[in-house]
Amino acid sequence: MNKTLQKILSACISAVMAFSIATAIPNTASAGASYTLNGTAHVQDYGDTEGSFSSGTLTLGTRGNSKRVESICVNFDNQLGYDGTIQYQVHVQNIGWMNWVNAGETAGTSHQSLRLEGLRMRLTGELANHYTIMYHVHIQDYGDAQGWVSDGALAGTTGESKRLEEVQIKIVPIGYSSNEGVAYRVHCQDYGWESAWSADGAVSGTTGSSKRLEAISIALTGAAYKGSISYKTHVQDYGWQDWVSDGTLSGTQGEGKRLEAIQIKLTGDIADHYDIYYRVHSQNFGWLDWACNGASAGTSGFSYRLEAIQIELVAKGSSAPGSVSLSFIDKSTADAAAAALADAQKHYNEVVLDWIDTQSTAAGGHTVEYYVNKAASDNLVPGTDLSIYTRFLTADNINKSVDYIAECNSLRASEGIAPLQVNSALMAASIGSAVISSKTYDHIAFHNGYFSDLGGYRAENLAWGYADPFTGWYTDEKASKGGHYVNIINPVYTQSGFAFASFSETGYMSNVAEEMFGSISAANSMTPSAYKTAFNQYVADAASALSRAQTYYSLVSR
């Protein structure tokens, strides 16, 4: 191979390699971008100790020596192609959070023997739009359990008197890691802070131990997107606290105050790509459903403690981790659910009467109670308990009554007579008359004019003891053209109402049947088939409403 060809191939290979390297780096960084970190940590007993920089990570402090870090200084040689620097802030024993400082400046104390307990770091300027600073601390008693955090999140602890022993720092391009996640831990009654951070849907806290949550810390992990996680808690006696972010304590410690509810949300770019879901285990209720993106999870007004929590990041457009029907229960909601259940139960218990009365009054008639009360006030049936009207008001008996009207229409059709429609006012009148005649065995209500204000032509057939009343009314009287038979085939009547009930008590003749004929207002008149469809749908709707009310009440009162 000649030298010219070798040069050409070498240039091509170099170009390919350069292209490969460039495409392997996220588009926020250039192929030649680099940085260097160095610095010192002031370590208990050892004094200022130089850090080490390897594979893009600066390590400060010690490991395995149980020595506190008292201050840090981080130097940053920025060759990443964007203006900006590193800022950091430390939480110091007895002092709390100190001011933010820039790269090259010392954060912490000297000659005071005060430990660093927490650390926050961030990038500034244009650099922050393209890179993420990630940092990790080794914590007294907890070790490396917290994991890596980034961009202003708390590394370490506050309020726990735990020293930082080692700090690791690195800068990565945004999109460096697609493994976005969430880490969290709780302060639990009697147990204190958990020594391990739970992550990505794992349970933090306890179940079955009746231990209250008193505080929580939450932070994001990963470096795919910029953003923060914010949260606030509803605390016993204090109510809702202010929002905090990125590992900051929410709640209380050392006060014995229970958490009762929590809200969690994402901010910044990550909120455009992920939803945050969370659910809590609440006293007496157990696990509630999942809440999302700032909605409340827990209870209010019950004085019930939170006992455990799960938190999970879910990519936008993906399904929730589970049911989202009931994540938060307010006592007023539970009280309303109890009232709604009572109303639904009452409506279902009285659904047939409601149907008859509503339909009858809409058709210009009266309620069943109107006829019963009128008979009582007129002393029409002395000493009789007229509450027997409820016997006629079952779904089965209404359906059977309408079937009898359909049977009547079949008999009319056999003689060339037009069918009757079911009239709602006549249905109520039939039941009222049947209640009274169940004891009197006559047409006393009809003859006393109880139904005269319905207008038009009216007639009624009564029967006691027949398995099928038309055996007596039609079959037995057809030859003699008896009155019951004539009412059935009379073409003047265009509408009908019917009542039926069975009795086993002494003083009643088993089956009681009453059909009232009329040619009154056509309002609310239907074919037997249409009437049954509408009636049964009304009953089914009441049953469905009761079932929903029972289900909801069982959820909010468990």
Side-chain angles (χ1 to χ4, degrees), residues 15-325:
V16 170
M17 290 177 64
F19 176 77
S20 299
I21 293 170
T23 56
I25 297 175
N27 59 15
T28 55
S30 65
S34 66
Y35 68 92
T36 302
L37 297 174
N38 62 68
T40 60
H42 190 88
V43 179
Q44 175 188 355
D45 296 337
Y46 301 156
D48 289 337
T49 304
E50 289 292 331
S52 63
F53 183 69
S54 175
S55 301
T57 299
L58 172 64
T59 302
L60 301 172
T62 63
R63 177 182 290 261
N65 296 330
S66 300
K67 300 297 183 182
R68 65 180 172 265
V69 173
E70 298 177 3
S71 67
I72 61 171
C73 178
V74 178
N75 299 306
F76 176 40
D77 179 14
N78 180 8
Q79 299 179 38
L80 294 173
Y82 300 101
D83 292 336
T85 189
I86 298 172
Q87 292 184 331
Y88 40 98
Q89 178 189 40
V90 293
H91 190 279
V92 178
Q93 175 187 356
N94 298 337
I95 296 176
W97 286 109
M98 301 186 73
N99 293 331
W100 289 90
V101 300
N102 292 318
E105 299 177 338
T106 298
T109 63
S110 62
H111 308 297
Q112 297 183 49
S113 300
L114 299 177
R115 63 182 169 265
L116 298 193
E117 298 177 342
L119 171 67
R120 293 170 174 159
M121 306 191 78
R122 66 190 181 191
L123 301 176
T124 66
E126 187 66 16
L127 183 64
N129 295 326
H130 300 276
Y131 285 87
T132 290
I133 186 164
M134 301 184 70
Y135 43 104
H136 168 272
V137 294
H138 189 86
I139 307 168
Q140 175 187 352
D141 297 333
Y142 299 156
D144 298 318
Q146 185 178 27
W148 289 88
V149 297
S150 61
D151 294 329
L154 169 66
T157 64
T158 61
E160 298 183 54
S161 301
K162 303 293 185 184
R163 65 179 173 264
L164 302 189
E165 299 177 358
E166 183 187 72
V167 178
Q168 292 183 307
I169 307 163
K170 62 184 176 181
I171 297 174
V172 299
I174 294 174
Y176 164 82
S177 170
S178 61
N179 296 321
E180 288 288 357
V182 58
Y184 44 96
R185 65 175 186 145
V186 297
H187 187 280
C188 194
Q189 176 187 353
D190 296 337
Y191 302 147
W193 283 103
E194 294 176 317
S195 59
W197 277 253
S198 299
D200 305 323
V203 174
S204 181
T206 64
T207 60
S209 300
S210 301
K211 300 297 183 184
R212 65 180 172 266
L213 302 190
E214 298 178 359
I216 189 169
S217 170
I218 311 171
L220 295 173
T221 60
Y225 303 102
K226 287 285 188 178
S228 294
I229 187 164
S230 297
Y231 44 99
K232 65 177 181 177
T233 54
H234 190 280
V235 179
Q236 175 187 352
D237 297 334
Y238 298 152
W240 284 106
Q241 295 191 318
D242 293 334
W243 289 95
V244 299
S245 299
D246 301 323
T248 303
L249 178 153
S250 182
T252 64
Q253 53 184 8
E255 297 184 41
K257 303 291 187 183
R258 65 180 170 268
L259 301 188
E260 297 179 358
I262 189 169
Q263 297 175 351
I264 309 174
K265 64 183 180 181
L266 301 174
T267 62
D269 291 344
I270 193 169
D272 296 328
H273 299 275
Y274 285 91
D275 294 313
I276 187 74
Y277 280 91
Y278 42 100
R279 69 169 184 163
V280 296
H281 191 278
S282 180
Q283 175 184 354
N284 294 334
F285 288 119
W287 284 110
L288 298 179
D289 292 336
W290 292 86
C292 178
N293 296 342
S296 297
T299 67
S300 176
F302 291 97
S303 298
Y304 288 170
R305 63 183 171 265
L306 298 190
E307 298 176 345
I309 189 168
Q310 294 174 279
I311 308 173
E312 188 169 338
L313 281 178
V314 174
K316 285 286 187 184
S318 299
S319 299
S323 173
V324 295
S325 299

Side-chain angles (χ1 to χ4, degrees), residues 381-413:
V381 190
T384 297
D385 179 8
L386 295 179
S387 65
I388 60 168
Y389 76 88
T390 58
R391 294 294 189 85
F392 295 87
L393 295 167
T394 68
D396 286 344
N397 282 343
I398 295 299
N399 279 301
K400 191 172 185 67
S401 295
V402 177
D403 287 341
Y404 277 135
I405 295 175
E407 183 179 349
C408 182
N409 284 339
S410 295
L411 297 173
R412 286 166 67 92

